[in-house]
C-alpha cells in the first residue's frame, strides 16, 4: 500500500482521555469487535484497560460472517480461555447473554464491596471498541429503545454517556477509539475496508483496490456482481480501472471504488470475513 493510513482526530484523543478518567469508576469492560476482522478490531490498549476489572468480549456483526468462521473463532477463543459472545446488535441476537455476563462479572465486584462494609451499587460497565462496530446499537438493544445515537458511519458517538439499563447495571457509551499510531498497516486496511475508521484516514481508490485483492484471494465471485471477470495477472487496481470504464461508472475510478466498498459493507457480496482463520500468535 503506497499511502499510510493514519487518523487520530482531536475528538478521539479527547474521548480517550475522558475514557481513561471514567475507567476508575468502571467494574467491567465490554469490548466490542467486528466479527469480520476479529484481530484487526482488537484495540491494543484493551489489555491495559481491563486490569482489575471484568472483561466481556463481544464479536458483533455476526450476521456478516459465515457460520463456519464463527465456529472456528469460537473454538479458538475457547482454547485461549476466553469466552466470546457473538452478537447482532442490529437485530438484538445474542445481546441478553452479553448483559448477563457483564452483570455476573460485576457481581464479583459488589461481593468485594460488601466484604469491605460498603453498600452494593449497580454494576458499571463501559462499552468500548473501534468506531462503527456497533457499541451504541448494543446499548439501544439492551434498553429496547433508541437512547443513544447509532448510525452507519464511524464517529457517531462523540461524548461519553452513562445509561442506566436496570437497577443492577449501568452502561457507559463511548466514542470509538483507535490507537494514535496505526502501526499494523495490514490491520488498518481491513479497518478501512470494514468502515471501522473515518474515511479521512485513507484514499478510497487504494482501499477499494485492497478490498478487490482480498476478496479475490477469498475467491469471492466478483464477476457475478460487476459483470466483468478479474484477471489475476493484471492486479486489483487494473480491475478497478477496467470496471470504471464500464457503462455505469462513466470512467470514474472514485465512483466504482465507493461502490465496491459500499457493496462489501452492505453485505451485497455475501457474508464474508476478512479474517476467516483464527491466528495462533496472539491477541485474545
Ligand atoms: N449488520 C449489522 N449491522 C449492525 C450490527 N450492529 C450494529 N450495526 C449497524 O452498524 C452501524 C453502526 O452502529 P453504531 O451503534 O452507531 O456503532 P458505534 O460502535 O456506536 O459507532 P461510533 O459511535 O461511531 O463509534 C449502525 O447502522 C448499526 O445499525 C450487527 O450486528 N449487524
Ligand atoms: Mg456509538
Amino acid at each position: 500500500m503506497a499511502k499510510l493510513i493514519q487518523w487520530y482526530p482531536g475528538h478521539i484523543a479527547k474521548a480517550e482521555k475522558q475514557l481513561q478518567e471514567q475507567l476508575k469508576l468502571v467494574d467491567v469492560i465490554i469490548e466490542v469487535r467486528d466479527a469480520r476482522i476479529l484481530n484487526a478490531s482488537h484495540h491494543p490498549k484493551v489489555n491495559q484497560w481491563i486490569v482489575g476489572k471484568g472483561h466481556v468480549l463481544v464479536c458483533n456483526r455476526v450476521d456478516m460472517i459465515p457460520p463456519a468462521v464463527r465456529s472456528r473463532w469460537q473454538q479458538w477463543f475457547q482454547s485461549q480461555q476466553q469466552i466470546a459472545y457473538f452478537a447482532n446488535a442490529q437485530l438484538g441476537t445474542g445481546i441478553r447473554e452479553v448483559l448477563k455476563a457483564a452483570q455476573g462479572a460485576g457481581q464479583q465486584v459488589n461481593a468485594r464491596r460488601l466484604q469491605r462494609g460498603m453498600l452494593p451499587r449497580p454494576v458499571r460497565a463501559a462499552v468500548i471498541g473501534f468506531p462503527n462496530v456497533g457499541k451504541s446499537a448494543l446499548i439501544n438493544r439492551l434498553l429496547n429503545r433508541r437512547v443513544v445515537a447509532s448510525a452507519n458511519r464511524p464517529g457517531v458517538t462523540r461524548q461519553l454517556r452513562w445509561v442506566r439499563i436496570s437497577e443492577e447495571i449501568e452502561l457507559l457509551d463511548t466514542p470509538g477509539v483507535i490507537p494514535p499510531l496505526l502501526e499494523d498497516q495490514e490491520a488498518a486496511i481491513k479497518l478501512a475496508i470494514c468502515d471501522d475508521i473515518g474515511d479521512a484516514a485513507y484514499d478510497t481508490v487504494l482501499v477499494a483496490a485492497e478490498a478487490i485483492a482480498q476478496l479475490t484471494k477469498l475467491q469471492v465471485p466478483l464477476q457475478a456482481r460487476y459483470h466483468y471477470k478479474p484477471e489475476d495477472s493484471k492486479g486489483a487496481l487494473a480491475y478497478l480501472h477496467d470496471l470504471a470504464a464500464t457503462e455505469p461508472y462513466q470512467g470514474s475510478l472514485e465512483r466504482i471504488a465507493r461502490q465496491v466498498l459500499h457493496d462489501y459493507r452492505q453485505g451485497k457480496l455475501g457474508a464474508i470475513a476478512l479474517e476467516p482463520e483464527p491466528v495462533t500468535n496472539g491477541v485474545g
Side-chain angles (χ1 to χ4, degrees), residues 5-164:
I5 298 184
Q6 286 306 345
W7 191 63
Y8 195 62
H11 79 268
I12 290 195
K14 197 169 145 209
E16 199 175 319
K17 229 173 118 199
Q18 289 171 346
L19 175 63
Q20 202 76 47
E21 284 162 21
Q22 291 285 315
L23 282 181
K24 293 177 205 130
L25 306 172
V26 165
D27 310 312
V28 179
I29 298 284
I30 301 178
E31 180 198 0
V32 184
R33 294 196 208 171
D34 185 327
R36 295 169 294 178
I37 46 170
L38 285 168
N39 271 321
S41 63
H42 172 66
H43 193 295
K45 279 242 183 98
V46 167
N47 295 345
Q48 268 164 258
W49 290 335
I50 60 175
V51 172
K53 306 184 193 303
H55 177 213
V56 177
L57 171 62
V58 181
C59 306
N60 193 41
R61 298 186 177 275
V62 66
D63 54 305
M64 303 188 89
I65 62 167
V69 171
R70 171 194 175 147
S71 305
R72 278 206 292 276
W73 273 101
Q74 205 145 26
Q75 277 167 24
W76 184 79
F77 280 119
Q78 250 163 34
S79 75
Q80 307 290 302
Q81 273 77 50
Q82 169 95 59
I83 304 172
Y85 294 89
F86 284 79
N88 176 343
Q90 199 171 49
L91 293 184
T93 332
I95 296 297
R96 291 281 131 203
E97 288 78 2
V98 172
L99 184 63
K100 259 204 225 144
Q103 256 163 348
Q107 267 156 14
Q108 294 173 7
V109 176
N110 261 329
R112 280 204 299 274
R113 285 174 62 83
L114 210 62
Q115 278 171 7
R116 283 186 266 141
M118 294 157 89
L119 286 174
R121 55 153 174 74
V123 169
R124 297 184 191 134
V127 183
I128 58 144
F130 274 87
N132 210 32
V133 292
K135 302 175 296 299
S136 301
L138 184 136
I139 292 176
N140 287 339
R141 270 288 157 194
L142 284 175
L143 266 182
N144 264 330
R145 69 193 154 84
R146 214 183 135 79
V147 62
V148 288
S150 162
N152 202 5
R153 63 194 149 77
V156 170
T157 305
R158 293 290 176 123
Q159 308 282 341
L160 280 80
R161 178 153 164 220
W162 282 102
V163 176
R164 177 166 280 212

Side-chain angles (χ1 to χ4, degrees), residues 198-211:
D199 62 5
Y202 54 86
D203 181 303
T204 308
V205 172
L206 292 181
V207 168
E210 282 290 336

